């Protein structure tokens, strides 16, 4: 791709239509993306990351029972008016800053949870003919600078499709999409030559995995349109990216930050502890409690 013609990334897609079976019974009524890490829903971390990267439009691919997500990103008129009337300015400003402006959020229903690839395809009409950021909100990435902001820098330089990557222990590669790389382009960026979804450990091309953040070109939608179900009987995004790899550049970017898989109980608990310890308003009181718990 000619980087000079790389179009600006204005939209971000958040697939939030999964069933969250690993978190039952909590997710019977509450969408798993609304479970809180310290005092913010998991989905808000991903949206804040997109806001930091300059994203202008937020597309949520939802399903039945996910109405709380729409409400969360709407204006809570009575609440905000009450906060204002009671002089709770900090809380009021925080709520205001954390929701997209009027008309800057779209919600589309996946109708059936047929897989991540299918969820992304459901956003095709809203995304249209432009590159877009894609976040799997379960993957909470914590660091000084948001992962999307870092990826947009890489995209401005190389164009094409960018995949956030990180290393995992080799014995865990069968749980993820795994990358094959060549050509070190500097600044933690490599050209991707292949990828495979949930490979057998012995077949994995590396221990570098796709970690839940992407910048993709709109041609991915045509690939998803005809994509047959893959691993787990689901329509896999990785399979459609493999098809697009024959026609377009893909680059991996090893971001700075730590990933917590909040779709998994251990990852979710770790995210709560790590973020609590990183917050100056919580850490001094929380650390002694945590230390006591660990000693017990
Ligand atoms: P997961 O496989 O982690 O989500 O999908 P899940 O199916 O909700 O989780 P479990 O395994 O039953 O606990 C990763 C992301 O893709 C979305 C999910 O909402 C999550 O953000 N997703 C997955 C969809 O939007 N639609 C799907 O059909 C599948």
């Amino acid at each position: 791709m000619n980087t000079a013609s790389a179009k600006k990334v204005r939209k971000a897609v958040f697939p939030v239509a999964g069933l969250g079976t690993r978190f039952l019974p909590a997710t019977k009524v509450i969408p798993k993306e609304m479970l809180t890490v310290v005092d913010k829903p998991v989905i808000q971390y991903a949206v804040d990351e997109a806001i930091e990267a300059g994203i202008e439009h937020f597309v949520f691919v939802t399903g039945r029972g996910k109405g709380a997500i729409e409400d969360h990103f709407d204006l809570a008129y009575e609440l905000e008016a009450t906060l204002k009337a009671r002089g709770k300015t900090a809380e009021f400003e925080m709520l205001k800053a954390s929701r997209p402006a009027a008309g800057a959020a779209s919600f589309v229903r996946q109708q059936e949870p047929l897989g991540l690839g299918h969820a992304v395809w459901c956003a095709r009409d809203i995304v249209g003919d432009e590159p877009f950021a894609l976040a799997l909100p379960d993957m909470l990435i914590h660091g000084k600078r948001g992962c999307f902001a870092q990826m947009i820098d890489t995209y401005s330089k190389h164009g094409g499709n960018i995949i956030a990557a990180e290393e995992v222990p080799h014995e865990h590669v069968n749980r993820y999409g795994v990358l094959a790389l060549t050509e070190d382009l500097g600044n933690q960026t490599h050209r991707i030559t292949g990828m495979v979804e949930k490979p057998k450990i012995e077949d994995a091309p590396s221990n570098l995995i796709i970690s839940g953040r992407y910048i993709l070109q709109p041609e991915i939608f045509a690939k998803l349109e005809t994509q047959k179900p893959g691993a787990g009987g689901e329509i896999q995004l990785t399979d459609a990216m493999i098809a697009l790899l024959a026609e377009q550049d893909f680059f991996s970017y090893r971001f700075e930050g730590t990933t917590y898989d909040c779709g998994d109980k251990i990852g979710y608990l770790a995210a709560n502890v790590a973020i609590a310890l990183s917050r100056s308003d919580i850490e001094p009181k929380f650390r002694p409690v945590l230390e006591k718990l660990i000693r017990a």
Side-chain angles (χ1 to χ4, degrees):
M1 146 150 326
N2 176 3
T3 56
S5 67
K7 276 193 198 166
K8 187 170 186 264
V9 181
R10 299 189 313 115
K11 295 177 182 168
V13 174
F14 303 88
V16 289
L19 297 178
T21 54
R22 284 170 290 168
F23 263 99
L24 284 168
T27 48
K28 187 175 166 194
V29 176
I30 302 167
K32 75 168 168 178
E33 299 79 11
M34 289 302 293
L35 298 177
T36 51
V37 171
V38 184
D39 52 8
K40 267 203 301 193
V42 168
I43 181 72
Q44 182 82 56
Y45 287 88
V47 167
D48 287 349
E49 198 189 304
I51 292 172
E52 180 193 340
I55 295 296
E56 297 163 14
H57 195 102
F58 306 82
V59 184
F60 299 88
V61 182
T62 72
R64 273 182 298 284
K66 300 277 182 169
I69 299 175
E70 279 184 54
D71 290 342
H72 179 74
F73 289 107
D74 195 6
L75 172 77
Y77 182 77
E78 291 83 359
L79 175 62
E80 293 194 17
T82 308
L83 289 174
K84 231 174 157 179
R86 293 189 183 166
K88 294 201 173 271
T89 318
E91 289 83 353
F92 170 77
E93 291 299 337
M94 187 246 293
L95 284 190
K96 211 171 134 197
S98 65
R99 65 175 146 78
S106 300
F107 299 85
V108 62
R109 292 229 176 181
Q110 188 187 7
Q111 299 182 342
E112 283 179 278
L114 298 178
L116 173 63
H118 181 260
V120 174
W121 179 72
C122 291
R124 67 199 179 281
D125 284 347
I126 302 172
V127 170
D129 189 25
E130 51 182 293
F132 62 101
L134 169 67
L136 309 195
D138 284 1
M139 301 304 259
L140 194 160
I141 302 182
H142 186 230
K144 276 201 194 85
R145 189 154 177 256
C147 183
F148 270 146
Q150 299 175 47
M151 290 173 78
I152 297 268
D153 286 351
T154 305
Y155 174 74
S156 315
K157 219 165 160 192
H158 298 284
N161 300 267
I162 315 280
I163 297 181
E166 70 181 309
E167 295 90 21
V168 295
H170 198 73
E171 60 272 23
H172 293 171
V173 287
N174 55 343
R175 305 176 191 170
Y176 303 98
V178 182
L179 297 171
L181 309 177
T182 56
E183 205 188 342
D184 184 349
L185 300 163
N187 188 32
Q188 312 276 41
T189 307
H190 286 77
R191 180 175 293 280
I192 296 173
T193 52
M195 37 190 139
V196 51
E197 186 62 35
K198 299 189 178 66
K200 285 188 191 149
I201 293 174
E202 58 276 21
D203 296 338
S206 74
N207 67 336
L208 205 66
I209 61 141
I210 300 174
S211 71
R213 299 289 183 276
Y214 313 70
I215 293 174
L216 295 171
Q217 296 297 326
E219 288 75 18
I220 194 71
F221 293 121
K223 302 296 177 199
L224 286 168
E225 178 118 28
T226 53
Q227 192 59 57
K228 299 265 179 305
E234 296 194 334
I235 296 176
Q236 295 288 351
L237 176 64
T238 305
D239 294 340
M241 293 195 300
I242 292 168
L244 191 58
L245 182 62
E247 297 160 22
Q248 292 192 357
D249 291 333
F250 274 76
F251 303 102
S252 75
Y253 173 67
R254 177 66 189 91
F255 58 93
E256 279 169 30
T258 309
T259 308
Y260 299 96
D261 181 358
C262 291
D264 167 82
K265 289 182 190 97
I266 304 300
Y268 176 75
L269 291 169
N272 273 280
V273 173
I275 290 185
L277 291 176
S278 75
R279 294 231 332 226
S280 59
D281 59 330
I282 295 177
E283 188 270 341
K285 286 185 185 157
F286 179 57
R287 188 178 291 276
V289 174
L290 184 64
E291 282 170 357
K292 199 170 158 201
L293 279 172
I294 289 169
R295 279 197 305 271

